[in-house]
Amino acid sequence: MRLSSIKFILLTAMFLGSLLADGKPVSDDPSRDGWKTEVLSGEVSKQLQRISALLMQVHTVTPDQFDGLVLENFRTAPLRPALKVVYQDRMITVRRRTPVIDDEGILHHGGAALEQLRRPYMDGYVPRVELKVVGVKLAGAVFRTSVLVNLFGRTPEGTLEENGTWECEWLLQDGVAPLLVSLAVTEFEQVALASRNPTIFADCSEAVLGANACWSEQFSHSIAWWVQRIEFMQGIDVNGHFGIAVGDIDNDGLEDVYVAQGGGLPNRMLRHNPDGTVTDVSKAAGVDWMTGTSGVLLADFDNDGDQDLVAATLDGLLFNINDTIGGDGDDIGKFTRAALIETTDYMLSLAAADYDNDGDLDLFACGYFSEENRGKVAASPVPYFDAVNGGKNILLRNDTVGYRQASDTVGNERAPDWRFTDVTNSVGLDKGATRFAMAAAFEDYDNDGDQDLYVANDFGPNLLYRNDTDASGARHFTEVSAATGSRDRGFSMSAAWADVDHNGWMDLYVSNMYSAAGNRIVKQKEFVQDDPWLHEHMQYLARGNTLLYNHSGTFTDGSEAAGVMMGRWSWASPFCDINNDSWTDILVGNGYLTNDNSHDL
Amino acid sequence: MDKLLSSGKSLSGRERNCAYLNLGPGKAFATVSASSGFDFPDDARGVAPVDWDFDGDLDLWLVNRSGPQARFLRNDNAGDHNWVQFKLEGNGTTTNRDAIGARIGVVLERNREPRTANREPIKLIKTLRAGEGFLSQHSKWVHFGLGAAAAIDRVTVRWPGGDSEIFAGVQPNTHCRLVQGAGTAQEWKPPQDRVRLAASTPDMPDKSATVAVFLTNRLPLPDVTWQTFDGETVGLNTPPTGLQADQPVLINLWASWCSPCVAELNDFSEHHQRLQDVGLRVVALSVDGLGDYRGTPQKAVAMANRLRLPFDTGMADPRMIQRLDTLFDRLFQIYKSLPVPTSVLLAGDGRVAAIYKGRVSIERLLDDIQHLDTDPPQRRERMTPFAGRWLTPPKLLPLSMLIVQSVGRDDLGSALAYADLAIAEKTEMASQGKADWDVKLPDTLANLAAALLPSGQLKEAERMCRQAIALEPGNVDANFALGEVLLLQERMTHASRQFQVMLQRQPTHVGANYRMGWLLLRRGRVDHAVNYFRNALRADPGHQLSLLALAKILSTHWDPRYRDGREALKLAQSACVATEFSDAVALNTLAGAHAEVGAFAEAVRIAQDALIIAEQSEQKKLAESIRSNLALFQAGRPYHPRKL
């Protein structure tokens, strides 16, 4: 790549990085218009804040509140257009706008339009409003903005959530704020929840965790708080990449929870009590590891009937045998350290599966960045969009011999020989292994009876490894992302599998980064026009999450039609049927770094 | 990016989580982020669905970077949809016990909703996984929502390891155990003694303003001095009576306008006897008016007089503040600035053993002093408020990091102070057999030497180079830097020898080759000089200095045997392109080359450009020389200066 291209990437990365911080959009052509559109966007945002305030105010909206906000003769079609039901069950009703017709009926002035929007909400006002400029175009004295609209509040029946898009035109005049000339509602969706409960999910964290000291002393503080109090060299990580595993450690039928933590903070084993609360049993269980830990798994690696623990720590992959089976009565729910496999690189997510179908669980660990970058707060991927200088992924084949049987009554002595062999290279997983892998998920995507593997990479494309048995009967992975259409090029943090459309083939959802502003810039032809490779790749930087539909082992991108691209800086994004209607839904965890704004320290 | 993250600024912060409801085929998903109650503005990381309360719908465990770091969300789905859940058990020999990788299919009864377009029974499929998505592991119960379907025709399981099995008689709205080979599902009854968990908004703690950390890593704070209010410069090596030079010291920073500072000073005052009894020396220094701090030294004096403190006071030395800044920045991943009050506790060896941002209580101070005599593992235990198991000994910061930090801030005085300490430490470690301690030190010292050159600190630069070479004789950067230093000291013979020795080990080292060329040219050994320049260019065709030096010889040497105008032109062109035709020296050389090939008009034009640039950047000598060249070119003569 030419030096100028590299410079451009770095500049753009910084540029987009700063955009992500405050979400301000930029012009269609920043190189030509410069930053003028950004200034205008700021002014429009201020006006939108006035509109938000009107929607949120308690008393009725009065005409005088529109002075300096809209043009005198401003009129608009209803802000809540005619809707039709697209989904209904006892709890949830989803309505969307009926197809646009030319004559929308009466045009309202500002006050009436806002009142129409406010009316269904309890007490006549909307308690939560967000209006965000996501696209701009400057045409002389007219400034056009696309605005994302989010409303949420209670109604007499339950709650109402409304999401839509406004296309606004503003008149620019010297010395005054932009005036709204016209507003068209291009998208509108309404979700009404009929329930005693304010939302589908209720936060019961305090009830479940509150009796434990670790709740108030450790978990209640953010990592931003902790990194100012724990030395960096002892392994705390400002990025906060600490995982969670669910598994029944004491075989009482209730699944427990293991929460990973950064260096200097102990990982916590939370035992699931019969009444639904949890008790912190980390110390007694022998798994209160202080070393910085990222990925964690609870699974039966020695096939003896209890859940063992594996943790990706800064000192290596740590295996802990569960002593519930084979130990004496005192060992229920307790672990013994079994093996520490040193890794030269910083590892993130873990995934276990029996890749060779030989009856025991093998382990795949994502290598994020390599040893020489460890200790730096952020990785240094080169080249930025196709980086292969990350940490190396590892596949460990389980060669543990001497399984403990349930009838074995040897005291606390651990007979099994916990052996794992690094077979990464010999099975073909070394191809692409040094990308910046963040997450992995096994699935039989081609329905041929073995576990294939999808790896979500940061700073480069994702990879799909098809598992086959070759002519000699040996297992081999072949990288097939390009051939199958699953090579998502966004900067991915997570991947999930489920049959979304019930066609018998497993589909994929990949979480990436979304930047409204980034989207606007990178789609312009002028942008990096002299480097088509760069142009194409930049689009994926800020595109959002991806839904890939699988049919017979080939994937097609259905993200846009499904409307599931918006996340922002997305992390774990699992499939989950939240309303039990058999059609699996999607949850997206977002947010990179929220740091304290207080200047106290 | 590192700077951004460590500055403590937010980046993509306060982003709400999203949730999308699948409405079935042919329809876009509905956005239910707010209605779902999932849309916390947390910095979310892992999500693990699990039917925690066994009511048939999936609850969620979340882990976040922001507080609270763990959330439990109960699914209060009030819809009337059916469900079924399965816990699989492999035989533990041909199939792994957890049955990870199993493909489960639920075939709904014919003629029941939901149906496919051609009325075939719906088969819902799921795979059991251990670990999926970012840092998350879900429940091992495989959960199926069934919608309105009220009957299950059969359940199929393809066990990892090959064989498939069909389970009949599975009832909706039950938890079932599927044991490999059993053929029938066993219903599992969840425990009945659940309490109804209350929903609440977790009470987040207030952002406590003080920080007290007993450090694992004890870093040096060299040359601590301050100015007493009488104007005397004092250091730590002159302790007051009753205390010894190797006893602990508390350096406290305060300001006259800071009321917690004043309260704390009074506190120290009141308990001074207790502090003295444990051998602590208190040095309370004002930052009034220093750097960005408000106030004035006069106000500090006034305050000190009012308080009548029984211990050392005075004005802090800005250099010490800078060193504290460096320390804090290296110790903690997020560091903004030193607040007031701030205190650091120095152990008897002068190293920083504890830091306190905000006030520190007497009790905490006394407790920390009592624990000063501890080794790194013990200190690490004390550093964190929690007990637990560590896998490896504490990681200690190599002192070269502090050198790097200081050079980066242009604080060369501190860099030198740390350098001596780092060298001593590395030597000590080597004698203990730890040869791989602070491997970056020789490179760091070489960089420091290079950084010292612009300010003419040649003696110190030489010392740093020699120290680096003593630690690692083959260190390329240090050896080259030493050659440069000797050159600047005009010890030409020594320099020459140094570069020659270097080239024996690294014959393609560009800098050394160039320098040898330069040195030999001075001595009139043109042939040899040219060879060295060519060597340099072979290793790096873009090396500016070599390009220009060689071009100059080829275009201006008085002896025509050494001249080659065409090649000079090529080389000078390269040099000018690389500097985008904006470097006067390069342009001047290019002009000379043009003159040599007889292109005098071009030579004049370029020389004029060079002159403008030289004048604009006030390079007087260069301008003068260009002017005289210009005169020659205008007269149609090349520049061939007489041999001196």
Side-chain angles (χ1 to χ4, degrees):
Chain A
M1 229 191 282
R2 298 192 309 278
L3 178 68
S4 54
S5 300
I6 296 171
K7 261 204 268 182
F8 199 95
I9 292 168
L10 291 171
L11 278 171
T12 318
M14 288 297 295
F15 167 64
L16 282 169
S18 67
L19 285 174
L20 291 167
D22 57 19
K24 281 205 274 269
V26 283
S27 125
D28 274 357
D29 190 349
S31 58
R32 243 195 293 149
D33 299 330
W35 298 104
K36 186 171 182 200
T37 49
E38 176 156 338
V39 172
L40 291 172
S41 296
E43 291 178 26
V44 162
S45 293
K46 285 207 193 89
Q47 295 291 66
L48 290 173
Q49 271 173 40
R50 285 183 61 183
I51 297 177
S52 297
L54 293 177
L55 286 167
M56 292 169 70
Q57 75 183 22
V58 177
H59 59 83
T60 316
V61 175
T62 52
D64 63 289
Q65 292 186 289
F66 288 87
D67 291 342
L69 183 55
V70 306
L71 209 57
E72 219 177 296
N73 53 355
F74 171 79
R75 292 286 184 275
T76 177
L79 295 180
R80 180 178 296 105
L83 304 173
K84 70 174 198 298
V85 174
V86 294
Y87 175 88
Q88 184 148 48
D89 64 28
R90 193 145 71 165
M91 185 172 64
I92 303 171
T93 308
V94 181
R95 295 182 176 88
R96 291 195 175 127
R97 65 172 310 149
T98 51
V100 178
I101 42 178
D102 278 333
D103 181 5
E104 286 272 5
I106 302 172
L107 296 178
H108 299 296
H109 61 80
L114 290 184
E115 280 303 320
Q116 184 237 11
L117 206 50
R118 287 158 48 106
R119 200 165 306 124
Y121 291 86
M122 194 102 90
D123 302 325
Y125 67 91
V126 190
R128 234 176 77 178
V129 177
E130 196 179 309
L131 303 176
K132 198 152 184 162
V133 181
V134 294
V136 297
K137 196 172 179 71
L138 180 59
V142 170
F143 188 55
R144 294 196 182 93
T145 63
S146 298
V147 179
L148 219 55
V149 181
N150 306 119
L151 310 175
F152 181 61
R154 304 209 65 161
T155 63
E157 296 78 40
T159 62
L160 207 60
E161 172 173 6
E162 299 184 298
N163 293 291
T165 311
W166 292 348
E167 296 299 328
C168 303
E169 266 191 8
W170 306 82
L171 179 67
L172 303 175
Q173 288 172 316
D174 275 329
V176 294
L179 289 177
L180 188 59
V181 173
S182 76
L183 192 163
V185 180
T186 49
E187 284 165 5
F188 197 91
E189 177 184 272
Q190 180 193 78
V191 173
L193 206 67
S195 166
R196 285 171 321 200
N197 308 307
T199 50
I200 299 175
F201 288 99
D203 189 347
C204 299
S205 313
E206 193 125 37
V208 169
L209 287 152
N212 299 284
C214 66
W215 168 248
S216 56
E217 290 172 15
Q218 187 174 338
F219 291 159
S220 63
H221 299 294
S222 70
I223 296 303
W225 193 90
W226 282 115
V227 294
Q228 295 185 59
R229 290 159 174 80
I230 295 191
E231 288 164 76
F232 167 52
M233 287 297 282
Q234 307 321 318
I236 189 82
D237 172 21
V238 71
N239 285 300
H241 295 337
F242 316 128
I244 181 168
V246 169
D248 182 4
I249 65 163
D250 49 12
N251 284 0
D252 65 350
L254 307 177
E255 285 178 303
D256 313 293
V257 181
Y258 191 62
V259 176
Q261 292 278 276
L265 299 173
N267 299 342
R268 296 285 181 182
M269 179 63 81
L270 304 171
R271 184 191 170 251
H272 187 163
N273 299 321
D275 66 1
T277 62
V278 295
T279 299
D280 173 15
V281 296
S282 321
K283 183 167 176 193
V287 290
D288 53 344
W289 297 106
M290 300 290 271
T291 311
T293 304
S294 46
V296 284
L297 285 185
L298 285 163
D300 193 354
F301 284 95
D302 56 2
N303 278 347
D304 67 348
D306 56 25
Q307 298 291 286
D308 310 301
L309 172 69
V310 59
T313 75
L314 292 178
D315 293 321
L317 294 171
L318 176 64
F319 288 86
N320 301 267
I321 302 184
N322 191 329
D323 296 332
T324 300
I325 301 293
D328 56 40
D330 288 339
D331 294 330
I332 293 177
K334 297 196 186 349
F335 294 79
T336 307
R337 174 180 156 174
L340 178 66
I341 297 177
E342 283 183 16
T343 51
T344 52
D345 299 332
Y346 173 60
M347 316 303 283
L348 277 178
S349 305
L350 300 173
D354 186 5
Y355 87 94
D356 53 1
N357 277 343
D358 70 345
D360 53 25
L361 282 178
D362 313 298
L363 181 70
F364 182 81
C366 294
Y368 186 62
F369 60 74
S370 68
E371 173 63 34
E372 48 180 66
N373 285 330
R374 189 193 294 193
K376 287 202 194 137
V377 171
S380 312
V382 174
Y384 201 65
F385 293 92
D386 199 5
V388 290
N389 62 326
K392 190 178 179 211
N393 302 336
I394 300 173
L395 177 67
L396 292 173
R397 187 186 64 211
N398 189 341
D399 289 334
T400 298
V401 299
Y403 300 119
R404 268 194 174 279
Q405 297 304 308
S407 58
D408 208 317
T409 53
V410 174
N412 272 327
E413 231 179 326
R414 304 310 299 168
D417 198 353
W418 277 61
R419 251 192 247 127
F420 287 85
T421 308
D422 184 344
V423 296
T424 320
N425 295 2
S426 60
V427 300
L429 281 178
D430 52 336
K431 180 159 188 259
T434 58
R435 291 187 177 280
F436 288 74
M438 288 209 122
F442 283 98
E443 177 57 83
D444 184 9
Y445 88 93
D446 54 1
N447 287 350
D448 70 346
D450 52 32
Q451 299 298 297
D452 312 301
L453 178 66
Y454 192 75
V455 180
N457 292 313
D458 206 357
F459 308 117
N462 298 343
L463 302 174
L464 175 64
Y465 297 96
R466 191 189 65 220
N467 185 344
D468 300 304
T469 318
D470 67 21
S472 65
R475 285 279 158 193
H476 194 83
F477 285 93
T478 309
E479 207 290 296
V480 294
S481 58
T484 55
S486 58
R487 194 179 177 87
D488 186 81
R489 282 172 282 177
F491 289 8
S492 303
M493 268 66 80
S494 189
W497 293 97
D499 185 6
V500 174
D501 51 1
H502 294 180
N503 71 347
W505 298 88
M506 290 300 197
D507 312 304
L508 262 175
Y509 186 68
V510 176
S511 76
N512 299 319
M513 281 163 54
Y514 173 89
S515 162
N519 261 309
R520 295 295 305 174
I521 315 160
V522 301
K523 282 191 172 138
Q524 303 315 308
K525 240 186 345 140
E526 296 88 351
F527 190 67
V528 292
Q529 63 186 347
D530 57 346
D531 195 329
W533 184 91
L534 203 60
H535 175 81
E536 208 195 333
H537 279 71
M538 283 292 277
Q539 296 203 30
Y540 285 87
L541 173 68
R543 180 177 192 265
N545 301 343
T546 309
L547 178 60
L548 295 168
Y549 288 104
N550 180 357
H551 196 295
S552 309
T554 308
F555 294 86
T556 42
D557 188 340
S559 325
E560 225 164 315
V564 293
M565 288 168 76
M566 165 69 89
R568 282 179 223 88
W569 203 311
S570 304
W571 303 94
S573 300
F575 282 114
C576 182
D577 185 358
I578 65 175
N579 64 338
N580 281 356
D581 68 347
S582 85
W583 298 96
T584 191
D585 314 301
I586 296 172
L587 300 173
V588 183
N590 294 319
Y592 185 20
L593 306 173
T594 302
N595 288 328
D596 301 320
N597 281 328
S598 54
H599 293 289
D600 49 358
L601 288 160
Chain B
M1 186 69 164
D2 276 5
K3 266 220 176 97
L4 187 70
L5 291 171
S6 64
S7 69
K9 290 205 179 80
S10 292
L11 176 61
S12 273
R14 291 193 183 81
E15 287 179 354
R16 289 189 178 274
N17 300 334
C18 296
Y20 297 109
L21 192 72
N22 188 344
L23 303 186
K27 295 184 198 161
F29 283 59
T31 303
V32 293
S33 311
S35 321
S36 65
F38 184 67
D39 69 339
F40 296 98
D42 299 336
D43 294 338
R45 291 292 180 267
V47 181
V50 50
D51 182 8
W52 188 258
D53 53 4
F54 306 113
D55 64 351
D57 52 31
L58 288 170
D59 312 297
L60 302 170
W61 275 95
L62 274 67
V63 282
N64 300 314
R65 174 190 178 270
S66 46
Q69 288 187 54
R71 277 199 205 266
F72 171 76
L73 303 184
R74 185 190 60 217
N75 190 335
D76 286 343
N77 177 24
D80 51 2
H81 296 142
N82 295 318
W83 54 273
V84 70
Q85 294 189 59
F86 303 106
K87 184 78 165 51
L88 273 64
E89 198 178 307
N91 58 27
T93 48
T94 55
T95 296
N96 72 86
R97 201 74 180 256
D98 283 338
I100 303 298
R103 174 69 69 81
I104 305 100
V106 171
V107 181
L108 301 172
E109 243 187 33
R110 269 182 182 285
N111 300 324
R112 300 287 190 140
E113 294 301 317
R115 279 172 281 191
T116 57
N118 56 4
R119 316 304 260 188
E120 285 303 306
I122 296 282
K123 185 178 186 184
L124 306 172
I125 54 168
K126 291 209 191 273
T127 302
L128 175 56
R129 260 176 286 279
E132 58 196 290
F134 189 68
L135 298 180
S136 307
Q137 181 184 19
H138 306 186
S139 164
K140 288 187 185 64
W141 281 91
V142 183
H143 168 278
F144 287 84
L146 302 177
I152 295 170
D153 182 57
R154 64 190 183 285
V155 174
T156 62
V157 177
R158 199 186 62 211
W159 298 99
D163 60 330
S164 287
E165 195 170 344
I166 295 178
F167 292 85
V170 175
Q171 294 302 316
N173 304 324
T174 59
H175 290 83
C176 295
R177 283 180 62 223
L178 303 178
V179 179
Q180 188 170 16
T184 46
Q186 299 168 23
E187 196 181 325
W188 180 83
K189 289 277 188 220
Q192 296 305 304
D193 48 345
R194 316 288 292 180
V195 301
R196 173 80 181 156
L197 300 166
S200 66
T201 306
D203 209 5
M204 288 296 101
D206 31 66
K207 303 187 165 76
S208 130
T210 60
V211 169
V213 187
F214 190 82
L215 298 169
T216 312
N217 245 322
R218 287 190 179 169
L219 299 174
L221 187 64
D223 309 328
V224 176
T225 58
W226 63 91
Q227 282 240 306
T228 66
F229 291 122
D230 301 323
E232 212 191 316
T233 304
V234 184
L236 280 182
N237 47 7
T238 46
T241 37
L243 292 174
Q244 290 165 302
D246 62 352
Q247 284 191 285
V249 179
L250 183 75
I251 299 178
N252 170 264
L253 299 179
W254 58 275
S256 60
W257 43 264
C258 158
S259 42
C261 299
V262 172
E264 186 180 50
L265 289 171
N266 284 328
D267 202 25
F268 290 157
S269 238
E270 201 180 306
H271 296 270
H272 191 226
Q273 190 54 57
R274 289 171 73 194
L275 299 176
Q276 278 197 306
D277 287 344
V278 297
L280 179 72
R281 177 182 184 182
V282 178
V283 177
L285 303 173
S286 164
V287 297
D288 275 74
L290 295 181
D292 291 331
Y293 294 110
R294 290 183 283 131
T296 62
Q298 290 76 20
K299 291 211 172 90
V301 173
M303 177 59 74
N305 287 338
R306 247 184 46 211
L307 295 175
R308 292 152 68 113
L309 303 166
F311 36 75
D312 283 298
T313 55
M315 287 303 298
D317 174 4
R319 208 182 45 170
M320 185 193 76
I321 309 269
Q322 191 154 12
R323 287 175 185 174
L324 283 174
D325 217 43
T326 298
L327 285 195
F328 277 72
D329 201 5
R330 283 278 60 161
L331 286 168
F332 301 99
Q333 245 180 342
I334 287 181
Y335 168 67
K336 299 170 200 181
S337 61
L338 286 178
V340 275
T342 285
S343 302
V344 294
L345 175 65
L346 306 186
D349 60 2
R351 293 226 175 179
V352 180
I355 62 109
Y356 312 105
K357 286 161 96 180
R359 290 184 61 172
V360 57
S361 70
I362 300 294
E363 303 314 319
R364 171 71 200 231
L365 201 47
L366 289 173
D367 202 20
D368 281 347
I369 290 167
Q370 260 202 313
H371 287 89
L372 279 178
D373 190 16
T374 43
D375 59 19
Q378 292 166 319
R379 294 177 208 163
R380 183 175 61 180
E381 267 179 38
R382 204 177 155 73
M383 172 202 64
T384 158
F386 305 107
R389 261 160 254 259
W390 289 92
L391 277 169
T392 52
K395 309 275 188 293
L396 299 176
L397 204 75
L399 291 183
S400 59
M401 293 255 226
L402 295 179
I403 304 171
V404 171
Q405 192 93 357
S406 303
V407 170
R409 288 159 183 245
D410 218 18
D411 178 6
L412 299 180
S414 298
L416 282 166
Y418 290 129
D420 286 320
L421 291 164
I423 293 160
E425 190 179 76
K426 183 157 170 71
T427 313
E428 168 68 27
M429 286 300 213
S431 74
Q432 287 177 21
K434 297 178 193 154
D436 58 352
W437 174 254
D438 206 353
V439 290
K440 293 212 166 93
L441 184 56
D443 279 340
T444 306
L445 294 175
N447 284 337
L448 174 53
L452 288 163
L453 299 183
S455 53
Q457 298 181 64
L458 301 178
K459 240 197 151 93
E460 289 290 17
E462 185 186 347
R463 192 166 70 85
M464 288 298 108
C465 289
R466 294 205 185 276
Q467 290 279 21
I469 292 166
L471 291 169
E472 189 192 328
N475 186 286
V476 176
D477 289 349
N479 276 295
F480 183 67
L482 180 58
E484 293 286 274
V485 171
L486 291 167
L487 208 77
L488 286 167
Q489 291 173 329
E490 302 199 26
R491 293 153 68 184
M492 300 309 185
T493 330
H494 287 96
S496 173
R497 202 178 303 144
Q498 175 65 13
F499 290 124
Q500 279 181 319
V501 166
M502 259 204 87
L503 286 169
Q504 273 168 12
R505 267 199 229 104
Q506 280 98 23
T508 55
H509 191 274
V510 179
N513 273 298
Y514 166 74
R515 275 303 180 206
M516 282 310 300
W518 187 88
L519 283 163
L520 288 166
L521 192 62
R522 279 176 99 246
R523 288 192 226 147
R525 315 269 295 278
V526 186
D527 273 327
H528 287 106
V530 167
N531 278 339
Y532 276 112
F533 289 137
R534 290 202 189 283
N535 277 346
L537 288 172
R538 247 192 297 277
D540 178 9
H543 189 241
Q544 274 291 95
L545 293 169
S546 300
L547 285 170
L548 291 174
L550 190 53
K552 192 163 177 205
I553 295 171
L554 297 174
S555 57
T556 68
H557 200 275
W558 58 269
D559 186 340
R561 286 178 298 157
Y562 295 121
R563 294 205 304 264
D564 180 349
R566 250 188 263 272
E567 197 190 344
L569 201 56
K570 253 195 3 214
L571 298 169
Q573 278 278 104
S574 288
C576 286
V577 167
T579 46
E580 292 174 359
F581 292 86
S582 60
D583 177 53
V585 173
L587 287 169
N588 188 32
T589 311
L590 181 59
H594 275 291
E596 178 60 18
V597 300
F600 292 105
E602 194 62 10
V604 165
R605 187 184 70 77
I606 292 169
Q608 281 168 337
D609 282 345
L611 183 57
I612 292 170
I613 294 170
E615 282 171 341
Q616 275 176 350
S617 52
E618 295 188 21
Q619 298 175 73
K620 291 207 171 74
K621 266 190 136 172
L622 177 62
E624 226 178 86
S625 137
I626 297 174
R627 239 178 255 119
S628 60
N629 288 354
L630 191 51
L632 283 172
F633 302 152
Q634 280 163 335
R637 285 160 50 202
Y639 174 58
H640 296 148
R642 296 275 297 279
K643 177 183 178 182
L644 291 160

